[in-house]
Amino acid sequence: MILYMHPENPQARAILQAVEILRKDGILVYPTDSSYAFCCMIGNQQGMERIRRIREVDDDHFFSLVCRDLSELATYAMVDNSQYRLLRAVLPGPYTFVLKGSKDIPKKLLTPKRKTIGLRVPDHQITKDLLEALGEPLLSTTVTLPNYSAEDLREIYQIEDLLEKRVDAIIDAGDCSHSPTTVIDLTSGVPEIIREGAGPIDIFI
């Protein structure tokens, strides 16, 4: 199924359709402020496995937790005052922050050795509306596919051709960039840049 949405003013009816699919343990492709991504609900183990099969990654591949805002993020991660100020300065935006998970996060979502998780608060209206209607975070990972380059997945029609029959719905908001998020590890107390991507890094240096 293709759900067409305006990127800045998404139709409420289409958002609710997407939420219904997620609540029925479906998986979606949706736009973010960095690229299109796969998503499913927390606890949808079958959905996570479907996404891993599509991407051809093993069970050690971890998903980011996509949150509505900083308040929700702080429910699922242990954030001190200095970390919170840093997060507030750049979020919402195209960043993934590695933080220690709180007691409210399912243990199977944490990295086994470090008990950490990647968290996001994207700056994209469709993502915001989707999360608001759902009322809880989503598990998410970038749309990448074996044997296809980032250029191959830059335009939405290419993503639809490759994935329409493999996912339950694709939210079509037109083309968006295919830049990965900037990944920052905050677990040591000092920001460590793991991957430089769409988000500027000046503030962390």
Side-chain angles (χ1 to χ4, degrees):
M1 176 188 294
I2 306 295
L3 297 173
Y4 296 97
M5 297 190 196
H6 191 282
E8 296 173 3
N9 187 26
Q11 303 89 323
R13 182 177 178 181
I15 289 287
L16 292 177
Q17 279 184 277
V19 167
E20 183 178 2
I21 290 166
L22 289 167
R23 291 199 181 282
K24 291 180 178 178
D25 287 338
I27 62 174
L28 299 181
V29 169
Y30 74 112
T32 76
D33 51 1
S34 61
S35 67
Y36 276 90
F38 297 101
C39 71
C40 66
M41 290 187 67
I42 297 173
N44 184 358
Q45 293 297 312
Q46 184 180 22
M48 293 172 70
E49 180 55 34
R50 285 176 63 193
I51 293 169
R52 288 189 182 111
R53 285 201 303 269
I54 292 170
R55 286 196 48 175
E56 294 187 19
V57 294
D58 59 29
D59 291 345
D60 293 330
H61 177 82
F62 281 85
F63 292 70
S64 295
L65 200 63
V66 180
C67 302
R68 283 176 282 186
D69 50 34
L70 270 178
S71 176
E72 188 169 70
L73 182 151
T75 301
Y76 293 94
M78 292 186 281
V79 181
D80 62 27
N81 289 336
S82 63
Q83 290 170 332
Y84 191 87
R85 285 193 297 271
L86 187 60
L87 294 170
R88 189 173 59 186
V90 298
L91 293 177
Y95 296 91
T96 299
F97 287 97
V98 180
L99 291 157
K100 292 180 180 177
S102 73
K103 59 180 176 56
D104 293 315
I105 208 160
K107 288 184 173 56
K108 57 191 158 192
L109 298 182
L110 301 174
T111 55
K113 293 180 180 178
R114 302 179 63 194
K115 307 299 182 187
T116 60
I117 189 165
L119 293 111
R120 285 209 66 202
V121 182
D123 189 15
H124 194 289
Q125 195 59 50
I126 289 174
T127 308
K128 293 175 182 178
D129 288 3
L130 192 60
L131 291 168
E132 190 62 37
L134 190 64
E136 60 183 272
L138 284 168
L139 291 172
S140 181
T141 186
T142 304
V143 169
T144 58
L145 296 171
N147 305 316
Y148 290 92
S149 69
E151 291 296 323
D152 294 327
L153 301 171
R154 189 173 296 278
E155 298 182 17
I156 184 60
Y157 82 87
Q158 296 167 315
I159 293 173
E160 290 171 355
D161 285 347
L162 292 166
L163 292 175
E164 184 178 3
K165 294 180 180 179
R166 304 187 70 185
V167 299
D168 298 294
I170 296 173
I171 295 176
D172 183 339
D175 299 338
C176 66
S177 69
H178 198 78
S179 301
T181 58
T182 292
V183 180
I184 310 290
D185 189 334
L186 295 181
T187 56
S188 68
V190 178
E192 180 184 353
I193 299 166
I194 304 299
R195 179 182 70 199
E196 188 173 350
I201 63 171
D202 306 20
I203 192 172
F204 305 107
I205 298 175

